[in-house]
Amino acid sequence: MQGRRYAAAARLGGWRAAGPGAAQLDLGGALAEIAVAEDGSVRLRAAPGMALPADPSEAVGRLPWRAAPAAFREREDGGLRLDQDGPEGAVRVEVDPAPFALRVRDRRGASLAELGELAFAADGAGRIRLAVSASERFFGFGERHGPLDRRGRREWLRNRDPALRSRDPMYLGIPFFLRLARGPGGICASGVLLDAFAPSHFDVAASDADAVVMESGGGGIDLCVFPGPRPADVLRRFTARVGRTPRPPRWALGHHQSRWGYGDERAIRRIASELRARRIPTDVLHLDIDHMRGYRVFSFDPKRFPDPKGLFADLAQQGFRAVVIVDPGVKVDPEWSVYRDGEQADAFCRCEDGRPYRLRVWPGESALPDFNRAAVREWWGEQHRPLLDAGVSGIWNDMNEPAGWSRDLRVGRVMLPIRGQDTSRMLQSDPCERGRVAHEQVRNLYGLQECRATRAFLESANPGRRPFVLSRSGHAGIQRYAAVWTGDNRSRWPDLRESIPMLLGLSLSGAAFCGADIGGFALSCSPELYARWIQLGALQPFARTHSMWLSRAQEPWSFGPRVEAIARQALCLRMRLMPYLYGLFCESEASGSPVWRPLFYEFPEDPDAAAVEDQLMLGPALLVAPVLERGARERELYLPPGVWIGWDDDARWVGPRRIRVAAALERTPIFARAGSLVATQSPVAHAGEAPEEPCVLEVFPGADGAAELWEDDGESTAYREGAAARTPLRLWHRAGGRLRVELGRREGDLELAERAVRVVVHACPAPRSVTLDGERLREGSAAPGYTAEEGRVQVRFADTGGGHSIEVDPAP
Ligand code: GLC
């Protein structure tokens, strides 16, 4: 960044082996360590001086490094070389001695990273240059405004509350990016994590088209290169390092309804009963800061929320879960036990001169816990107990950049920050707990460490249950602890449009469980904008409607009966897709794959797919092209190579091509990729309700395909011990339109009763014959049997879990 003077560390003076797959390098005044992992990921740590700082990885929740068994050897020119050829990846790592450079190549010899020009500033900040090619695209960096492809941008990652301005940085930066390069050998994706906790800076081929220049802001350099070649391979390796989204409880995948302004128990009860009376599927109700006594976290206002336990029990009766907001700012009030305890436990951050650090948030003057200390995290976790005892199911961590201000003006209910936050004299523990450092050095960890505390407590207080935590801020790996939402957006069309690249950027940065506030947080939403937003939002990984009290009401019925019906339809579709969506989360836990994916993630070879930023893939099967313009009743969209089938009209298209489709206010253009098998169910009011039809398999012929159906109890962690079921699904598409659908033998220890299954083959003419397990089926809606109507063949039978196959032979 401007203002720092850097001195180069440019010559390799000597080296020694430093354990398996690792070497320590003397760079004359600086020390570096290069480590290669079993999966081909390469880590470079470097710092000025004679010793590397303590490795903070584990202290911030990184996963153990699995070292490669290979060793570095010296080259003739004094440089080094290591070849790692393991089952998970093959890389060649080379070190040039002078000038010092680190090169990583993949199995095919394609360059994965060329790093050089390492330099350090007096305060320990490191800078390094990554050589890039002119055709490359760059994605990630967490939550960003603007385009998905970040080439040409200067990314400053300092987590902060942008206070409703469309300006980066935002609440949640992730110093990771995915590179998509096109070379003679085909597509090559790779990834880079600069694991800096201080605000970092990336010049993404902005000043120099051939380089990404990275600056850590402090603590030397800790950088990882993750090989591809496909984007999915990069994400698998990156998340093996920083962690993946643990399987969420199924209810957390339902719709969440929230508002800053549900001011008392009556308001919450009214929303709950309206949602049920109007049959609008919803699982979760959020309680914003309104519920607290004078904004004291962990408290309930005795007048407005006199009986939280009774309230949550009644909500549970109706199938609702409650999520409650927890801000890190603790009101300075010596009469109040949480503050007093925190003071006694020395849990709060202090200034350089030893005085307590204070900032202003909703409760006025507040103290901030120092979450980098394990004892403070534990203390903080304990404070949640009264919330759990009252029956709260999940915690919403807001304002955790941390956000606040140093002076405000209160006008009635409104609090106007009139001077921004000043953290310049604030200290925090360093994550290894070896002493206190300037807050700025560890600022970007604040939200992550808070969520880590919250999650750890929820896990210990409710053993065997899957917690739900939602966060506004975070760092690389936040997905291990929390789902994230994109903070305070506005009820405006550009904010709806921008939510797509923003959520895709987060998804590619590892945060799979993400969503934007449906309908927009600030300003008042129009009926049409709400309709379009809920259509898209209902397909977000995390689907929450939220708004602020100054804006018009934003419940699905607030916009008249037509829009209410649209909201119901959108949320019913989400509930129908629940088995598929749930499966995407199971896969994300297993492999780090995102739930929302840019088109290029599925079609990396297609250059046109990489430029699409207003469409997305929901998993591998469904392409969503939402309407993002006021008044639009049709939209143009891009279909990547292959056959596509309209989700609601079975129209068949062959890509690559641009098409224009009708999109009445009631319609969201969604296309299924030929060869996909999408597990659905009949819609339910909430995840806890048993669907009338638990297993409806939507099959889209036109290509071969495979998928999996993932099932478990949806709430406990018993799936980790095998109490889960996985059914392999296959589709064979044969010449002449014959097709075979196979539900493989169910794997896993989950006991499932025999159940009715309906297989729906889309875009399929009336067949000559349909067989189930080799036996010819009769036409009719009784099981076993099939119907053929309106271009769909539907087969009904009882699934025993032992494996079944269906053959459909078309009419001659
Ligand atoms: C912040 C949050 C918002 C919340 C409000 C009041 O602005 O981003 O979601 O409603 O604070 O708690």
Side-chain angles (χ1 to χ4, degrees), residues 171 260 288-289 325 327 362 396 398-399 472 485 487-488 517 521 544 546-547:
Y171 316 90
W260 176 10
D288 203 328
I289 52 174
I325 197 167
D327 290 345
W362 312 122
W396 163 19
D398 187 22
M399 308 295 277
R472 192 168 77 171
W485 98 104
D488 300 345
D517 281 344
F521 169 75
R544 181 180 77 160
H546 182 54
S547 54

Side-chain angles (χ1 to χ4, degrees), residues 114-148:
E114 232 182 279
L115 291 152
E117 296 184 19
L118 178 65
F120 298 99
D123 63 357
R127 188 179 69 191
I128 193 162
R129 177 183 193 273
L130 174 76
V132 301
S133 68
S135 65
E136 264 179 68
R137 294 173 180 267
F138 305 90
F139 307 92
F141 300 106
E143 188 180 68
R144 312 302 287 171
H145 286 288
L148 185 60

Side-chain angles (χ1 to χ4, degrees), residues 113-253:
E114 232 182 279
L115 291 152
E117 296 184 19
L118 178 65
F120 298 99
D123 63 357
R127 188 179 69 191
I128 193 162
R129 177 183 193 273
L130 174 76
V132 301
S133 68
S135 65
E136 264 179 68
R137 294 173 180 267
F138 305 90
F139 307 92
F141 300 106
E143 188 180 68
R144 312 302 287 171
H145 286 288
L148 185 60
D149 179 359
R150 308 304 292 182
R151 173 176 273 276
R153 321 263 321 181
R154 293 185 176 87
E155 307 285 11
W156 184 41
L157 271 62
R158 182 181 188 273
N159 291 345
R160 59 156 198 178
D161 177 358
L164 290 171
R165 287 178 308 241
S166 296
R167 218 185 291 157
D168 286 338
M170 297 179 67
Y171 316 90
L172 204 178
I174 299 181
F176 166 82
F177 58 98
L178 184 131
R179 306 166 60 190
L180 191 67
R182 225 164 275 283
I187 197 76
C188 181
S190 61
V192 175
L193 167 71
L194 178 66
D195 213 356
F197 310 141
S200 54
H201 190 269
F202 297 75
D203 183 311
V204 190
S207 314
D208 173 355
D210 301 324
V212 174
V213 177
M214 300 174 256
E215 293 173 78
S216 71
I221 289 278
D222 186 353
L223 178 148
C224 269
V225 173
F226 304 101
R230 297 173 61 89
D233 302 315
V234 178
L235 270 267
R236 189 179 65 248
R237 292 188 168 94
F238 166 53
T239 55
R241 175 86 186 118
V242 300
R244 296 179 179 149
T245 307
R247 201 173 288 200
R250 208 167 162 108
W251 59 262
L253 301 189

Side-chain angles (χ1 to χ4, degrees), residues 323-541:
V323 165
V324 164
I325 197 167
V326 171
D327 290 345
V330 172
K331 184 177 177 66
V332 174
D333 172 5
E335 308 284 296
W336 175 43
S337 62
V338 173
Y339 173 73
R340 259 198 334 258
D341 280 11
E343 274 287 282
Q344 246 160 35
D346 190 25
F348 300 122
C349 297
R350 294 184 174 276
C351 297
E352 292 157 335
D353 58 10
R355 281 185 311 152
Y357 176 78
R358 301 283 186 246
L359 89 168
R360 296 189 68 78
V361 206
W362 312 122
E365 190 164 61
S366 306
L368 284 177
D370 182 3
F371 293 120
N372 281 347
R373 282 184 277 146
V376 173
R377 289 199 295 276
E378 205 169 307
W379 168 76
W380 182 253
E382 273 302 324
Q383 307 310 309
H384 293 70
R385 204 171 284 282
L387 297 182
L388 295 198
D389 291 345
V392 164
S393 297
I395 301 295
W396 163 19
N397 282 163
D398 187 22
M399 308 295 277
N400 54 355
E401 296 72 27
W405 43 89
S406 57
R407 268 185 64 197
D408 54 39
L409 197 68
R410 236 177 236 271
V411 188
R413 236 176 125 180
V414 192
M415 179 177 268
L416 296 173
I418 51 175
R419 190 170 309 144
Q421 185 185 5
D422 176 13
T423 51
S424 59
R425 289 177 312 114
M426 175 179 173
L427 296 186
Q428 268 194 269
S429 172
D430 82 281
C432 297
E433 302 197 43
R434 295 184 172 217
R436 310 228 170 181
V437 294
H439 162 71
E440 210 60 16
Q441 286 296 304
V442 288
R443 175 172 174 90
N444 288 347
L445 282 177
Y446 197 82
L448 177 124
Q449 296 280 58
E450 182 199 23
C451 293
R452 189 174 168 206
T454 310
R455 187 176 180 96
F457 174 73
L458 296 182
E459 277 171 353
S460 72
N462 286 328
R465 300 269 118 194
R466 300 178 214 168
F468 175 73
V469 182
L470 174 67
S471 182
R472 192 168 77 171
S473 187
H475 191 264
I478 183 64
Q479 62 272 11
R480 276 189 80 184
Y481 310 117
V484 300
W485 98 104
T486 57
D488 300 345
N489 55 3
R490 290 148 303 180
S491 303
R492 304 184 325 164
W493 289 91
D495 289 58
L496 168 63
R497 176 179 293 273
E498 190 182 55
S499 70
I500 298 178
M502 198 179 275
L503 292 174
L504 289 174
L506 268 169
S507 300
L508 290 174
S509 307
F513 198 2
C514 58
D517 281 344
I518 297 171
F521 169 75
L523 306 180
S524 285
C525 197
S526 72
E528 184 185 0
L529 177 59
Y530 176 78
R532 291 311 192 186
W533 212 318
I534 191 105
Q535 286 170 338
L536 174 62
L539 300 172
Q540 281 175 181

